[in-house]
Amino acid sequence: MNFEFSQLSTSGAIAATLTLLAGLAIWSIFLSVPKAFNYPIYGVEDEKPTELMRKFQQHADILLTEAYKKFHGGIFQLYTPDGLRLFLPRKYAQELKGYDREQLSGMKALADVSIEKIEVTNPIHLGADEKQRHLGHYTTIDHESPYMLNAIKLDLNQKLGQFVSVVQTEVAHVINTTFPPCEDWTSVNLNDLLLRVISQASARIFVGPSLNRNEEWLKISEKFATDVMLGAEKLKAWRPIFRPIAQYLIPEIRRIQADHEEAYQLLRPILQAREKAEIDTSIDGKRHNDMLEWIKTRATKNNDSSVDFREQANIQLLTATAAIHTTRLATLHVLFDLAARPEYIDPLREELQEVLAETNGVLTKQTLTHLKKLDSFMKESQRHNPPSLATFQRKILTPVKLSNGLELPTGVIVQCNTSVLSEVPENWGDPYSFDGFRFYKLRGKPEDAHKYQFASISLESMEFGLGKDACPGRFFAMNQIKIILAHLIFNYDLALEKPEQGRPKNFMFEVNVLADPTAKLLLKRRA
């Protein structure tokens, strides 16, 4: 009797599942309302959409450049692994930058689903499907927290000066304990070493000294982003109606929940101890100065009980994902460019020595702002090796009409084609050459003293975005990179391992510009 009931239950469950999947398929078709964008699609005359999608994964830089030239800097569309996407010239970012996050969202463009079918006058187009970057519903990075944003925008940015010596201490600790001795020229892969430097220094500010050197915490904060990226790419290979099931078949997606649980278990005793210290007056309840505390304080002021220990863990994983890997890549790019152009090393070292002489060898917030040549080199490196070739990516949450008459409906994702080096003012000089002191020279006029800094944003420098939704953590990233570079320049000589091959070549992953993680540099500790 029980066996027969079990069989019936199983059959019923299977039937229900099949009915649900069929319903989802029909539902997705009816929700895919066609939207016509009468703008050309690059490449469809010569290649199939599936081929263009594959090409976009590794050669997006070529496609964007060719499309820019063919359509004379106008609006165009490209087939991407996320579907057909609309690319705007950077000038339209000026029109869109004033919208707030509730109207145009960068986070939702990265993580959310955009259910649409884009049709054009050309009859070749994709069928109705979901178009998304990282499938945020499954990877959990669609989780936005106003407390996280304000903790970075307000608390962290206002207290940057307090953390310079703290970050410097952590940077020196990791380099001294993990780098090889380098008594003579030594081949070193800096990719993983820099990841540890940045994750430990960042964790000191994010979760405090109780965890920032904890090996388990560092590993989970480093690998979570990898699970998100790989898991999303594997899940995108499945049709949308099957993804609710496929998520359980992909190891990286399954690990994401385990990552959240592990982060919670590591943070819970820290947060419990802090709560106990607040209640028990016999315990020295010294106020902590880290993101955990800032978020809790802001939530308490709003009487928001949803920010519990688990929510704190979720926020920390998202913060680490946003902060660690992008800073690591930017630092690696600078070091590759510096090793390929050794003529810059002595001037940068001299500037560092002059600035440190004014503060008895101690780095301060003011000291970092005086490293103008280093700042310029960093900005020029980022100009040639941006984190993305299509910045200002936004999901339209309220209908928008551009000055040319183009109507952008709710749900559409747009981005600006910022891959064109020549789109700069004439006074910048040759836009294609690498001039490490380009921005140092441009800052010569008093009115331009702050205009061309590494963290400054403008239509010509959109690496950190533009407008209200620009990267809030760019100032912290700038300080971290300067502190790391200052330590390495002061204490090491560096050179290319294979100078005859020039600077290590970058890799493209869709619009993302990645430094070669296998490339090595030669390091030698200075006497």
Side-chain angles (χ1 to χ4, degrees):
M1 184 71 177
N2 289 338
F3 176 71
E4 290 177 351
F5 178 77
S6 177
Q7 282 185 315
L8 289 172
S9 298
T10 302
S11 300
I14 293 173
T17 301
L18 291 175
T19 302
L20 177 61
L21 290 176
L24 285 172
I26 296 170
W27 175 74
S28 67
I29 292 171
F30 279 106
L31 273 186
S32 298
V33 180
K35 171 62 194 174
F37 285 118
N38 193 22
Y39 289 95
I41 308 174
Y42 179 75
V44 292
E45 303 88 354
D46 306 312
E47 298 181 76
K48 295 179 180 179
T50 51
E51 291 301 317
L52 291 169
M53 287 179 176
R54 281 193 283 269
K55 191 173 181 181
F56 188 86
Q57 282 189 310
Q58 294 184 328
H59 304 291
D61 53 339
I62 296 173
L63 292 176
L64 286 167
T65 300
E66 291 175 348
Y68 176 85
K69 291 177 181 177
K70 181 174 181 177
F71 304 125
H72 309 290
I75 299 174
F76 58 85
Q77 299 180 85
L78 286 178
Y79 278 113
T80 79
D82 304 309
L84 196 56
R85 285 289 171 87
L86 194 68
F87 287 82
L88 308 174
R90 71 170 73 218
K91 66 181 180 181
Y92 289 106
Q94 189 70 31
E95 297 182 31
L96 298 173
K97 71 176 186 178
Y99 290 90
D100 60 34
R101 295 168 65 88
E102 286 70 38
Q103 298 169 305
L104 272 67
S105 173
M107 172 62 82
K108 290 186 180 298
L110 179 71
D112 274 13
V113 175
S114 175
I115 303 177
E116 56 176 315
K117 183 170 82 173
I118 301 177
E119 292 183 344
V120 291
T121 52
N122 191 310
I124 301 174
H125 59 80
L126 292 179
D129 198 356
E130 291 176 301
K131 318 299 196 288
Q132 56 259 299
R133 289 296 311 279
H134 296 309
L135 299 167
H137 173 68
Y138 299 101
T139 61
T140 71
I141 64 166
D142 61 345
H143 182 74
E144 285 194 272
S145 168
Y147 302 113
M148 177 180 77
L149 182 64
N150 287 328
I152 297 171
K153 263 187 172 180
L154 303 176
D155 299 297
L156 177 58
N157 287 341
Q158 290 175 5
K159 299 177 181 180
L160 282 178
Q162 301 175 23
F163 296 120
V164 173
S165 61
V166 170
V167 172
Q168 186 179 10
T169 298
E170 297 302 324
V171 167
H173 176 266
V174 179
I175 291 176
N176 292 337
T177 56
T178 62
F179 276 44
C182 298
E183 299 301 331
D184 203 350
W185 286 107
T186 305
S187 179
V188 179
N189 185 316
L190 289 169
N191 186 65
D192 292 338
L193 292 174
L194 284 175
L195 181 60
R196 178 49 55 94
V197 171
I198 294 163
S199 62
Q200 183 170 311
S202 299
R204 177 61 180 79
I205 285 82
F206 296 162
V207 296
S210 300
L211 271 183
N212 85 293
R213 295 187 183 183
N214 180 291
E215 187 65 24
E216 292 179 84
W217 179 263
L218 292 172
K219 282 183 178 179
I220 195 172
S221 63
E222 293 167 0
K223 78 181 184 70
F224 177 73
T226 304
D227 288 339
V228 167
M229 180 71 72
L230 293 179
E233 289 305 308
K234 290 182 179 181
L235 194 56
K236 277 195 289 187
W238 291 75
R239 292 286 296 176
I241 60 171
F242 298 121
R243 287 172 186 163
I245 297 172
Q247 64 177 313
Y248 300 108
L249 306 177
I250 297 171
E252 289 83 2
I253 297 293
R254 294 201 309 269
R255 281 204 299 267
I256 286 171
Q257 295 304 324
D259 293 340
H260 280 281
E261 180 63 26
E262 187 177 353
Y264 164 68
Q265 294 297 343
L266 288 169
L267 270 179
R268 184 174 61 174
I270 307 296
L271 295 171
Q272 284 177 335
R274 292 189 183 188
E275 280 195 352
K276 185 177 180 181
E278 287 181 4
I279 298 170
D280 189 346
T281 56
S282 65
I283 300 176
D284 182 14
K286 190 170 97 174
R287 200 156 193 82
H288 298 272
N289 193 20
D290 54 38
M291 186 175 286
L292 292 175
E293 195 71 20
W294 306 332
I295 289 172
K296 180 185 175 183
T297 300
R298 291 186 175 279
T300 301
K301 285 182 179 178
N302 285 337
N303 294 316
D304 190 345
S305 59
S306 68
V307 185
D308 55 13
F309 296 169
R310 284 195 180 276
E311 175 66 359
Q312 284 272 29
N314 296 339
I315 289 174
Q316 287 303 322
L317 287 183
L318 293 174
T319 305
T321 300
I324 295 173
H325 295 273
T326 51
T327 304
R328 183 265 306 268
L329 278 174
T331 309
L332 199 55
H333 280 307
V334 174
L335 289 170
F336 284 171
D337 285 327
L338 193 55
R341 299 169 177 85
E343 66 273 17
Y344 285 98
I345 295 177
D346 282 342
L348 292 176
R349 189 173 285 153
E350 289 169 8
E351 177 187 58
L352 179 60
Q353 290 170 336
E354 290 173 5
V355 169
L356 287 175
E358 299 173 2
T359 57
N360 296 318
V362 178
L363 282 177
T364 65
K365 182 183 178 183
Q366 196 66 23
T367 305
L368 295 178
T369 62
H370 289 164
L371 295 174
K372 295 179 181 179
K373 290 181 179 178
L374 179 60
D375 188 277
S376 175
F377 194 93
M378 289 163 52
K379 192 173 184 70
E380 182 72 351
S381 175
Q382 190 185 60
R383 191 176 76 88
H384 284 270
N385 312 281
S388 174
L389 297 178
T391 57
F392 202 80
Q393 187 177 89
R394 297 291 184 270
K395 182 171 183 178
I396 309 299
L397 303 181
T398 185
V400 171
K401 187 173 183 179
L402 298 178
S403 58
N404 69 342
L406 173 60
E407 295 182 0
L408 300 173
T410 299
V412 168
I413 294 176
V414 299
Q415 51 268 296
C416 290
N417 175 23
T418 50
S419 65
V420 188
L421 284 175
S422 60
E423 289 186 332
V424 296
E426 197 172 313
N427 69 324
W428 282 31
D430 181 3
Y432 298 104
S433 68
F434 188 103
D435 182 355
F437 295 154
R438 181 190 306 273
F439 299 103
Y440 173 75
K441 289 176 281 191
L442 287 171
R443 292 175 67 181
K445 296 180 181 179
E447 63 269 24
D448 294 333
H450 302 293
K451 185 177 180 181
Y452 299 105
Q453 293 182 83
F454 178 73
S456 298
I457 53 176
S458 66
L459 271 181
E460 297 80 26
S461 297
M462 290 175 59
E463 289 80 14
F464 289 113
L466 193 70
K468 294 182 178 181
D469 212 8
C471 173
R474 64 189 186 275
F475 303 102
F476 178 56
M478 174 182 69
N479 281 5
Q480 274 192 307
I481 296 170
K482 284 185 179 180
I483 291 168
I484 294 168
L485 293 174
H487 185 100
L488 293 175
I489 290 170
F490 194 81
N491 293 286
Y492 293 87
D493 291 317
L494 70 155
L496 293 176
E497 185 181 43
K498 300 175 182 177
E500 69 281 359
Q501 296 182 9
R503 184 199 190 277
K505 292 187 185 328
N506 293 329
F507 291 115
M508 290 299 303
F509 177 72
E510 300 181 8
V511 293
N512 304 301
V513 182
L514 307 177
D516 184 351
T518 66
K520 297 180 179 180
L521 294 180
L522 295 177
L523 294 184
K524 181 182 178 182
R525 183 172 283 276
R526 299 179 69 223

